[in-house]
Amino acid sequence: MSSSLFQPEHEVFRTSLREFIDNELAPHADEWEEAREVPREVFTKMGDLGYLGMRYPEKYGGGDDPLAEAVLHEEMVRCHSAGVAADIGAHVGIAMPHILFNGSEEQREKYLIPGIKGEMIGALGITEPDAGSDVASITTRAEKDSDGWIINGSKTFITNGARCDFMVLAAKTDPQKGYGGMSMFVVDSDTPGFEVTRKLDKLGWHASSTGELAFTDMKVPGDALIGEEGKGFYHIMGGFVWERLLMSLGSVASAQMVMDSTVEYAKQRRAFGQAIGKFQVIAHYFADMATRIEAGRWLTYHVLEKYVEGENPIKEACMAKLFSCRMVCDVVDTCLQVFGGYGYMEEYGIARAYRDVRIMPIGGGTDEIMKEVISGMMGLGGAR
Ligand SMILES: Cc1cc2nc3c(=O)[nH]c(=O)nc-3n(C[C@H](O)[C@H](O)[C@H](O)COP(=O)(O)OP(=O)(O)OC[C@H]3O[C@@H](n4cnc5c(N)ncnc54)[C@H](O)[C@@H]3O)c2cc1C
């Protein structure tokens, strides 16, 4: 569904993207879920069509339009595998932005140009086995060497982590300095000492390559540092606004898609001599769901509008994520209920959606952390 935020050219883009997703991605979703991997050709094909660079400057091969990228994240839900959407989303929406906003010109040319073509796949490595929500407590260490840095440590739960070509990663460059002692690096995955220790099995996002990684005496050049030394924590926080917006857009779009298919089911499935959608209790489920989806959509679009106008809506992005990512879980749960036993079977797609959406209130900052940030910005709380 569109809003006045999106221009006619975005709707033209939406139509052609939708056709691509319906014809080229959705028919393969089951196969990729089973294989636990999205083929590289998906990245190169989407790169060839310009879909991976929508928000990036034209000089790197992009389209310079964040709203078009927002359309991409909404429409990707139609591929019926959130794992596919997650791998594309992590590359386009959370790894490459660090290089765009904080990287040097050399780094942009080296990673954004092939990244936008889909010839290189990126990942963002922040979370560690002992540090998730508490980003500042990571222990991966980068020590200065004569002509670069030596990195030791580990990362976990990293989307694309098991198959990336480059990783934007957070490391402590001065452990004594807390928030101010963290820096960002971009590292090629063929660097000696970079090891994928495990590809992780998950509740959902089955097609996504989620990795656990170890870095052992990994020597990287001085120019692997992204932006200024000691500014990593602030770069991470800066990136969260866009990441949370993308998660909100995807959540609203998923909720709408699953509810729409369930409306059709409720009109056809009969019990006690009538369509189940005629029972008031079921009809009212839909009234509630439709209302919450609209609320999530307009809150998310409100934040998106602020973002494209150049504001930094930290609190509002947390609100949109908090609301939309919980809402999609509730909507899919209710839809599964409406499908009855068929909802529990794999063939209807609801079971996969149910597994896939559960990550939304966890990834990109949990519900509890969203509430910490929102209340903290109101002068309350204090744990963080
Ligand atoms: C499928 C998947 C993909 C992911 N992809 C990536 C990725 O690409 N890159 C990356 O860096 N990370 C990634 N993550 C990690 C994700 O961001 C973290 O899982 C998330 O931030 C939570 O961290 P944690 O799992 O360590 O939980 P913890 O931080 O251990 O939290 C456990 C519980 O305690 C609560 N809690 C913690 N602190 C507080 C507090 N102050 N107040 C109240 N409650 C609190 C949390 O809300 C949560 O309920 C991914 C995770 C998953 C599951």
Side-chain angles (χ1 to χ4, degrees):
M1 192 174 291
S2 62
S3 88
S4 58
L5 186 59
F6 295 106
Q7 300 305 306
E9 64 265 24
H10 295 118
E11 298 315 322
V12 171
F13 171 57
R14 191 186 294 280
T15 305
S16 67
L17 178 63
R18 208 170 256 204
E19 202 177 303
F20 169 81
I21 293 170
D22 290 349
N23 295 327
E24 306 283 335
L25 303 186
H28 302 287
D30 292 353
E31 184 193 322
W32 299 336
E33 286 271 305
E34 188 98 359
R36 299 289 198 263
E37 187 145 304
V38 185
R40 267 186 178 266
E41 301 80 75
V42 171
F43 285 82
T44 46
K45 214 180 246 186
M46 291 185 73
D48 279 348
L49 292 165
Y51 296 157
L52 304 183
M54 300 316 300
R55 74 159 307 166
Y56 292 87
E58 286 173 17
K59 67 192 270 208
Y60 307 116
D64 230 342
D65 184 358
L67 283 173
E69 192 183 311
V71 172
L72 172 77
H73 296 288
E74 288 185 318
E75 294 301 319
M76 279 301 286
V77 305
R78 296 175 66 90
C79 76
H80 296 288
S81 161
V84 176
D87 280 12
I88 296 292
H91 171 61
V92 169
I94 68 170
M96 289 203 294
H98 275 271
I99 298 171
L100 172 65
F101 293 117
N102 309 307
S104 64
E105 196 47 42
E106 290 73 25
Q107 288 168 341
R108 290 184 191 145
E109 281 173 18
K110 181 172 174 193
Y111 297 103
L112 294 187
I113 293 174
I116 287 168
K117 286 185 184 154
E119 291 165 356
M120 280 183 112
I121 299 174
L124 177 66
I126 298 172
T127 306
E128 299 185 356
D130 294 321
S133 304
D134 187 4
V135 172
S137 73
I138 61 161
T139 54
T140 291
R141 179 83 167 96
E143 288 175 277
K144 262 202 180 109
D145 186 34
S146 53
D147 54 349
W149 301 85
I150 306 282
I151 302 180
N152 281 287
S154 58
K155 297 287 168 189
T156 195
F157 305 154
I158 308 305
T159 304
N160 286 335
R163 56 96 60 91
C164 62
D165 300 298
F166 66 90
M167 181 175 290
V168 171
L169 64 88
K172 282 280 172 72
T173 39
D174 188 345
Q176 312 307 322
K177 280 197 180 155
Y179 296 110
M182 196 185 294
S183 304
M184 301 303 288
F185 294 86
V186 56
V187 174
D188 296 318
S189 61
D190 60 3
T191 307
F194 184 110
E195 188 192 350
V196 177
T197 44
R198 250 183 341 143
K199 185 169 167 176
L200 300 166
D201 266 337
K202 307 178 293 294
L203 172 69
W205 281 17
H206 285 168
S208 174
S209 303
T210 311
E212 179 188 84
L213 300 110
F215 313 127
T216 311
D217 293 332
M218 182 169 71
K219 186 169 167 54
V220 300
D223 62 8
L225 178 73
I226 299 180
E228 256 181 79
E229 186 181 337
K231 292 276 188 261
F233 185 79
Y234 306 98
H235 293 333
I236 293 169
M237 294 302 131
F240 271 146
V241 171
W242 185 240
E243 178 175 0
R244 289 168 183 166
L245 247 174
L246 302 184
M247 291 186 73
S248 305
L249 287 162
S251 293
V252 172
S254 291
Q256 183 74 56
M257 187 179 68
V258 172
M259 187 191 71
D260 288 348
S261 72
T262 312
V263 167
E264 292 313 309
Y265 185 80
K267 285 178 181 167
Q268 281 157 24
R269 177 71 178 171
R270 295 177 72 80
F272 299 94
Q274 61 176 24
I276 58 170
K278 294 269 184 207
F279 296 118
Q280 190 181 51
V281 68
I282 301 278
H284 285 192
Y285 284 160
F286 287 100
D288 283 340
M289 288 191 282
T291 305
R292 291 183 68 199
I293 292 170
E294 280 302 289
R297 185 189 332 278
W298 292 104
L299 176 56
T300 303
Y301 283 172
H302 169 64
V303 185
L304 180 60
E305 189 166 25
K306 281 178 175 283
Y307 182 88
V308 295
E309 281 172 357
E311 290 182 42
N312 188 26
I314 297 173
K315 185 169 76 177
E316 293 85 349
C318 290
M319 290 172 168
K321 183 185 185 291
L322 176 65
F323 185 87
S324 305
C325 294
R326 179 53 64 185
M327 175 275 288
V328 70
C329 291
D330 295 344
V331 165
V332 174
D333 185 49
T334 304
C335 289
L336 194 149
Q337 189 70 20
V338 171
F339 267 83
Y342 290 101
Y344 205 70
M345 301 296 128
E346 287 295 337
E347 60 203 275
Y348 283 83
I350 296 282
R352 183 185 297 164
Y354 183 78
R355 289 194 300 270
D356 280 350
V357 296
R358 189 59 187 86
I359 178 62
M360 301 310 266
I362 298 171
T366 64
D367 276 4
E368 293 77 12
I369 294 301
M370 294 307 96
K371 290 180 190 177
E372 277 294 289
V373 177
I374 296 164
S375 60
M377 292 182 79
M378 296 163 74
L380 302 167
R384 295 173 68 247

